Amino acid sequence: MYEMIINVGQIREDTATVQLGLAVAQQQQAFVVGIHIIPQIPSVTAIPDALAVLEAEEQTARDCGPWWSELCRRWKVEGRWEVFRGPYVPVLAARSRMADLLVCNAPGRQDLPIGWDNITRTLFAGGAPVLLVPETYEVRSAPERVLVAWNGSGESTEAIRAAMPLLRKAAEVDLLDGWREALPGFGPPTLALDEWLARQGVTVRQHRPFHPGEGTGAHLLREADAMQAQLLVMGAWGRSRISELVLGGTTHHVLSHTHLPLLLAH
């Protein structure tokens, strides 16, 4: 059974993350786990008052189980509610490994730079592929128009693999192909991406080349706007996070400027 986790930061049903996560779960007939994490660092255990506050927060969150059950009932999906207290990234990464897709709020205005925030650190910690949803995104349905960006990298191929259930259900799928063929014997062979997608039941409407390099992130977002995409599928962090943070890069640019959901894999 397809299994999803929705990382519920704010325990509200009107957030874009919860709405899109449940819409995708309904489309996929998935089992959907809503989780809420109460961050705790080891030093807190030595402060009785702080520990009492965390315990009260945990109990309040656990009491929201019936709320989640009713939400799942209204969306006609199976699901459960889970609450964890502990170090945020290890907890989220460990739990997400038992799911096909993790749905989270996209990193935005926060203290930590993109790439060092909790969600992208979870992706690097070996968590599940992540569907990132901007706070301001207006959810109408599960994604029907999807733009796939592929450059032959392992990250971009894993992103396509993770997105396959959504691609099969999409009304329109466009592919931006940034594969650069190497001289025979000096690089990997040409990969039959179209054939693979076709065997998986995915019909590509348009297959267009692009040339990865400076400005790739802006180019991907322009292409997404042109097709009125409701989802962009791409690999994450083709070079080191430090390099991207210092020099900029495709993932960093897209995460910083996107107004539509992203499906990332690493």
Side-chain angles (χ1 to χ4, degrees), residues 75-91:
W75 282 86
K76 300 179 181 178
V77 296
E78 294 183 66
R80 61 177 293 173
W81 178 248
E82 298 178 2
V83 176
F84 298 93
R85 178 154 53 100
Y88 198 100
V89 171
V91 167

Side-chain angles (χ1 to χ4, degrees), residues 120 123-124 129-130 132 147-163 175-176 210 216-217 220 232-239 244 249-255 262-266:
T120 47
L123 188 62
F124 266 95
V130 179
L132 295 174
L147 179 64
V148 176
W150 183 74
N151 62 2
S153 68
E155 295 88 352
S156 62
T157 304
E158 283 301 314
I160 295 174
R161 186 192 300 276
L175 173 64
L176 292 179
F210 79 100
T216 297
L220 296 183
L232 173 58
V233 176
M234 58 182 285
W237 308 106
R239 49 183 166 178
E244 289 232 6
T250 299
T251 310
H252 188 266
H253 181 92
V254 171
L255 284 170
L262 308 172
L263 197 154
L264 302 181
H266 177 68

Side-chain angles (χ1 to χ4, degrees), residues 5 7 35 37-42 84-98 102 116-128:
I5 291 175
N7 185 29
I35 72 168
I37 299 174
I38 298 165
Q40 178 177 316
I41 57 176
F84 298 93
R85 178 154 53 100
Y88 198 100
V89 171
V91 167
L92 186 56
R95 182 60 185 88
S96 75
R97 292 183 194 120
M98 293 190 290
L102 171 63
W116 300 105
D117 61 276
N118 285 334
I119 303 307
T120 47
R121 284 170 60 213
T122 297
L123 188 62
F124 266 95

